[in-house]
Every structure is written in structure tokens, then in C-alpha cells.
Amino acid sequence: HESSPQGRPVNLAGRPYRCLAQGIVIASYASPLTERLTALRYNTNQFNKSISIQRAWLVAFVCVGRDGHMVKLVMADLDDTLIPFGADHASASAISAIHSLLDAGIHFGPVTGRVPATMERMFQNDVACYQTGAFANGQIVTVDGKTIQRVMISGEALRKVLFLDNMNVNAWLAVYNPEDLRDVNLVTRFPERVKANPPETWGKSVFGIVPDVQDREYLKANIQCSCSRDQMILIRDRLRKLVPGLSFVMPSLTAKV
């Protein structure tokens, strides 16, 4: 890694990045879709170690001091990256690499659209792997097990998304109970459509159907689909125009959300 004055390009692994502040570099490393790779190698006075992470998107916050660089935090996306497509949880080698970071005094955290309640399964009950992280697309942020950010979505805003019922598509708003984020319901006035062509999550993480959202705040919501990718893109673009107060993004090339 190279230090640089604020705003000046630096070169990391053959790619240009910009410093966002004096002495701090934010660098991202995108791995190829292979089973294993040596993601990052740090050679500094404070930390001299090769870290092997499985298919990981990594973001390293690098603080520059007189004695060299000291990595403070490494964050990784989960689905289809740290956790390969089709796998239920992080591999033993990935978890071992995370503990190498933690043992060196470096924070590690997942960055994911998933909620903290699902992390126990995804890290095979290893709580240390997700004490720090950004969950629910950044609506929940924790550091050392303490929640420092919690952003809610109003039921009024989510009710506008129910225009999906009028589009006659196999896509439904899913809302998560703020008191129990494992309690997830699809919202529709046409439950027979769900039963005729349910999303992949039906019966696994989504079990209920309700006719409307409640007049309350929600911590997480998404659109669950059982339609083609092209239809998902059309739905996303339509909702962006109809509900500009909310963001509609696709988390990956494979997710039906």
C-alpha cells in the first residue's frame, strides 16, 4: 500500500484509488471466483502476515503512521463472496483466516444485507466473526458487539411498494418483524399467487403472508421474486420511479431478491 495526500491517486494491486483523507487509504480488492485465493498480503513493521480468504470482497481501512501502515479493519461481503454460491456458511479456512486477523488486533466484520440473527449459522456459531459489522445493508452497524447505528423504515414508505400487487408479477414485498428478524412475512392481497409460484425462500426463511404492512417502523424489508432476471430489472426500475424515497438494488447476480 502506498500513502498519499488527500485526493491524490494511489496504485494498489495495479488499480488507482483515491485517499479520502490525509493518511488514510480505503482500498477494495475484488477476487476472481475461485475456491481459494491469497487475498491480501501485508508487509509492515506492525503486521507481517499472509491472509488467505475464500473468494472475498475485502475493504481494508489502512491508517498510515511514521512506522508504516497499520490495518485497523477488514470487512467482507458474504453471499457469493466470502461464502461461495450454494454454501450455507463460511468455510473453516475462512473462519481461521478471520481469527488470524483478530489475533493480530485487527477488527473483522461482515458487510451484508442479512440481519445479525442469521450470522450464527453463517459463521458456524463463531460469535467473534461478527461482533463488528454492517448488517441489513448498513441499517445496523455494530462494533465489538455494541450497536452504534440502527436505521428504521416507516410502514408508510413501505406501503407504496405494494403497487407490486397491481403489476401482476411474481414478486412480493417481504417485511421483517423488528422484534424478531427471523419472523418474515410476504405482503400481498393475493396469497394464491405466492402459493402457485413461491419464491425460493418460502418455507425456509419466509413462512407467512399478510395483506398489508403495519403502521410501524421496520428494520428490514426487501422484494422477493420468483421471476426472470429481466423481470426483476423491470420491477426494480419501476419501483425506483414510484418510490424515490427508498433504494432498490440487486445484491448479486444470483439472488432472487
Side-chain angles (χ1 to χ4, degrees), residues 118-155:
T118 64
M119 293 299 103
E120 182 177 349
R121 170 180 59 83
M122 302 191 82
F123 285 101
Q124 302 187 65
N125 302 315
D126 194 328
V127 178
C129 293
Y130 56 91
Q131 285 287 88
T132 295
F135 309 96
N137 299 311
Q139 287 176 244
I140 306 173
V141 178
T142 63
V143 177
D144 293 331
K146 180 181 179 180
T147 300
I148 63 171
Q149 174 166 289
R150 188 178 174 93
V151 179
M152 307 296 284
I153 309 171
S154 72

XYZ file of all heavy atoms in Angstrom, residues 118-155:
289
model
N -28.966 -13.974 11.553
C -28.548 -15.056 10.656
C -27.048 -15.333 10.725
O -26.573 -16.308 10.128
C -28.916 -14.723 9.202
O -28.184 -13.558 8.785
C -30.407 -14.460 9.067
N -26.302 -14.507 11.426
C -24.847 -14.645 11.441
C -24.382 -15.897 12.179
O -23.361 -16.490 11.841
C -24.201 -13.413 12.075
C -24.357 -12.120 11.262
S -23.598 -12.209 9.630
C -25.071 -12.429 8.613
N -25.119 -16.317 13.187
C -24.726 -17.509 13.964
C -24.571 -18.716 13.045
O -23.582 -19.451 13.127
C -25.780 -17.778 15.045
C -25.446 -18.956 15.933
C -26.469 -19.153 17.039
O -27.305 -18.260 17.242
O -26.432 -20.216 17.685
N -25.547 -18.885 12.139
C -25.469 -20.014 11.203
C -24.361 -19.793 10.173
O -23.607 -20.721 9.860
C -26.811 -20.175 10.479
C -26.760 -21.166 9.326
C -28.117 -21.289 8.652
N -28.604 -20.023 8.113
C -28.229 -19.554 6.918
N -27.376 -20.217 6.169
N -28.733 -18.415 6.476
N -24.225 -18.577 9.672
C -23.291 -18.330 8.575
C -21.833 -18.411 9.018
O -20.946 -18.646 8.198
C -23.591 -16.976 7.932
C -25.020 -16.877 7.411
S -25.340 -15.451 6.385
C -24.716 -16.048 4.810
N -21.579 -18.215 10.324
C -20.217 -18.344 10.837
C -20.081 -19.529 11.788
O -19.192 -19.550 12.631
C -19.786 -17.048 11.518
C -19.467 -15.951 10.533
C -20.382 -14.946 10.267
C -18.257 -15.938 9.866
C -20.099 -13.942 9.342
C -17.948 -14.946 8.950
C -18.879 -13.949 8.684
N -20.978 -20.502 11.651
C -20.895 -21.750 12.401
C -20.738 -21.503 13.905
O -19.867 -22.071 14.564
C -19.741 -22.605 11.866
C -19.876 -22.938 10.387
C -18.830 -23.907 9.906
O -18.808 -25.051 10.341
N -17.956 -23.469 9.012
N -21.580 -20.625 14.425
C -21.664 -20.328 15.855
C -20.417 -19.631 16.413
O -20.230 -19.593 17.637
C -21.929 -21.610 16.664
C -23.194 -22.308 16.224
O -24.224 -21.683 16.024
N -23.117 -23.627 16.050
N -19.589 -19.080 15.542
C -18.376 -18.383 15.996
C -18.690 -16.890 16.122
O -18.564 -16.119 15.169
C -17.243 -18.608 14.999
C -15.884 -18.219 15.572
O -15.831 -17.285 16.396
O -14.878 -18.855 15.192
N -19.099 -16.479 17.314
C -19.579 -15.109 17.549
C -18.504 -14.069 17.265
O -18.798 -12.960 16.809
C -20.084 -14.973 19.007
C -20.531 -13.548 19.294
C -21.220 -15.954 19.262
N -17.246 -14.410 17.481
C -16.162 -13.448 17.289
C -16.101 -12.926 15.857
O -15.632 -11.809 15.618
C -14.831 -14.079 17.666
N -16.598 -13.712 14.909
C -16.510 -13.334 13.497
C -17.465 -12.214 13.118
O -17.297 -11.584 12.067
C -16.782 -14.541 12.602
S -15.525 -15.830 12.678
N -18.470 -11.947 13.939
C -19.446 -10.924 13.560
C -19.785 -9.969 14.710
O -20.848 -9.356 14.722
C -20.724 -11.569 13.005
C -21.406 -12.569 13.909
C -22.396 -12.171 14.805
C -21.084 -13.916 13.856
C -23.031 -13.088 15.612
C -21.710 -14.845 14.667
C -22.691 -14.423 15.539
O -23.326 -15.329 16.352
N -18.872 -9.820 15.660
C -19.072 -8.830 16.718
C -19.064 -7.412 16.152
O -19.705 -6.510 16.671
C -17.977 -8.966 17.776
C -18.133 -10.163 18.685
C -19.270 -9.990 19.675
O -20.409 -10.323 19.398
N -18.965 -9.464 20.841
N -18.305 -7.239 15.077
C -18.258 -5.968 14.351
C -18.817 -6.225 12.964
O -18.558 -7.266 12.367
C -16.815 -5.451 14.256
O -16.352 -5.144 15.575
C -16.716 -4.210 13.377
N -19.603 -5.299 12.430
C -20.116 -5.496 11.078
C -21.184 -4.482 10.711
O -21.662 -3.713 11.548
N -21.532 -4.505 9.423
C -22.634 -3.688 8.900
C -23.673 -4.649 8.335
O -23.380 -5.411 7.408
C -22.130 -2.732 7.827
N -24.869 -4.623 8.901
C -25.910 -5.591 8.570
C -27.137 -4.880 8.005
O -27.271 -3.661 8.156
C -26.301 -6.383 9.824
C -25.120 -6.970 10.560
C -24.563 -6.308 11.644
C -24.547 -8.155 10.152
C -23.463 -6.821 12.324
C -23.447 -8.691 10.813
C -22.902 -8.023 11.898
N -28.019 -5.655 7.377
C -29.239 -5.084 6.788
C -28.894 -3.904 5.895
O -29.507 -2.843 5.968
C -30.236 -4.671 7.873
N -27.868 -4.105 5.053
C -27.414 -3.069 4.119
C -27.012 -1.778 4.831
O -27.233 -0.676 4.324
C -28.494 -2.781 3.071
C -28.814 -4.006 2.244
O -27.919 -4.665 1.733
N -30.095 -4.332 2.135
N -26.414 -1.921 5.990
C -25.912 -0.753 6.718
C -26.900 -0.146 7.687
O -26.560 0.807 8.398
N -28.126 -0.676 7.754
C -29.096 -0.137 8.700
C -28.733 -0.491 10.139
O -29.127 0.205 11.065
C -30.500 -0.630 8.367
C -31.076 0.021 7.121
C -32.429 -0.543 6.763
O -32.610 -1.150 5.718
N -33.400 -0.357 7.640
N -27.999 -1.587 10.310
C -27.478 -1.959 11.622
C -25.958 -2.002 11.535
O -25.409 -2.695 10.683
C -27.995 -3.331 12.080
C -29.521 -3.394 12.030
C -27.493 -3.658 13.486
C -30.076 -4.775 12.297
N -25.292 -1.255 12.393
C -23.831 -1.265 12.447
C -23.416 -1.551 13.881
O -23.913 -0.917 14.824
C -23.230 0.080 11.989
C -21.703 0.050 12.093
C -23.651 0.393 10.554
N -22.529 -2.541 14.044
C -22.044 -2.887 15.378
C -20.530 -2.821 15.421
O -19.851 -3.052 14.418
C -22.490 -4.305 15.795
O -21.900 -5.261 14.901
C -23.998 -4.444 15.744
N -20.003 -2.495 16.594
C -18.565 -2.513 16.849
C -18.351 -3.218 18.179
O -18.902 -2.803 19.205
C -17.973 -1.090 16.900
C -16.488 -1.154 17.252
C -18.163 -0.379 15.565
N -17.604 -4.303 18.150
C -17.331 -5.089 19.364
C -18.615 -5.471 20.094
O -18.692 -5.433 21.320
C -16.400 -4.311 20.301
C -15.014 -4.130 19.706
O -14.585 -4.990 18.913
O -14.363 -3.113 20.016
N -19.632 -5.834 19.321
C -20.883 -6.296 19.906
C -21.844 -5.198 20.320
O -22.971 -5.480 20.724
N -21.442 -3.935 20.198
C -22.297 -2.819 20.574
C -22.896 -2.195 19.321
O -22.186 -1.870 18.370
C -21.491 -1.764 21.342
C -22.317 -0.557 21.764
C -21.460 0.460 22.496
C -22.280 1.681 22.890
N -21.456 2.695 23.609
N -24.228 -2.024 19.315
C -24.908 -1.410 18.181
C -24.692 0.103 18.223
O -25.046 0.763 19.195
C -26.410 -1.712 18.203
O -26.596 -3.128 18.140
C -27.117 -1.065 17.024
N -24.100 0.633 17.136
C -23.839 2.078 17.077
C -24.729 2.769 16.058
O -24.774 4.003 16.007
C -22.362 2.370 16.768
C -21.974 1.823 15.386
C -21.454 1.808 17.852
C -20.585 2.264 14.935
N -25.442 1.994 15.224
C -26.389 2.585 14.279
C -27.548 1.629 14.059
O -27.367 0.426 13.937
C -25.722 2.887 12.937
C -26.708 3.373 11.870
C -26.030 3.971 10.669
O -25.462 5.061 10.758
N -26.060 3.279 9.545
N -28.738 2.194 14.015
C -29.951 1.409 13.772
C -30.942 2.318 13.053
O -31.514 3.224 13.655
C -30.527 0.891 15.099
C -31.683 -0.086 14.955
C -32.109 -0.536 16.337
N -33.296 -1.363 16.325
C -33.278 -2.702 16.283
N -32.138 -3.339 16.267
N -34.410 -3.380 16.283
N -31.127 2.108 11.753
C -31.970 2.966 10.919
C -33.243 2.205 10.555
O -33.178 1.076 10.067
C -31.228 3.398 9.636
C -32.139 4.274 8.765
C -29.944 4.134 9.986
N -34.388 2.812 10.759
C -35.668 2.150 10.531
C -36.328 2.655 9.247
O -36.011 3.733 8.742
C -36.594 2.393 11.721
C -35.998 2.022 13.071
S -35.643 0.263 13.232
C -37.298 -0.377 13.496
N -37.267 1.849 8.709
C -38.052 2.216 7.529
C -39.510 2.323 7.963
O -40.037 1.420 8.626
C -37.937 1.160 6.417
C -36.481 0.819 6.127
C -38.621 1.638 5.137
C -36.305 -0.367 5.195
N -40.180 3.390 7.579
C -41.560 3.583 8.016
C -42.511 2.674 7.242
O -42.305 2.378 6.058
C -41.982 5.044 7.821
O -42.152 5.334 6.441
N -43.564 2.245 7.927
C -44.588 1.459 7.259
C -45.253 2.244 6.142
O -45.653 1.682 5.123
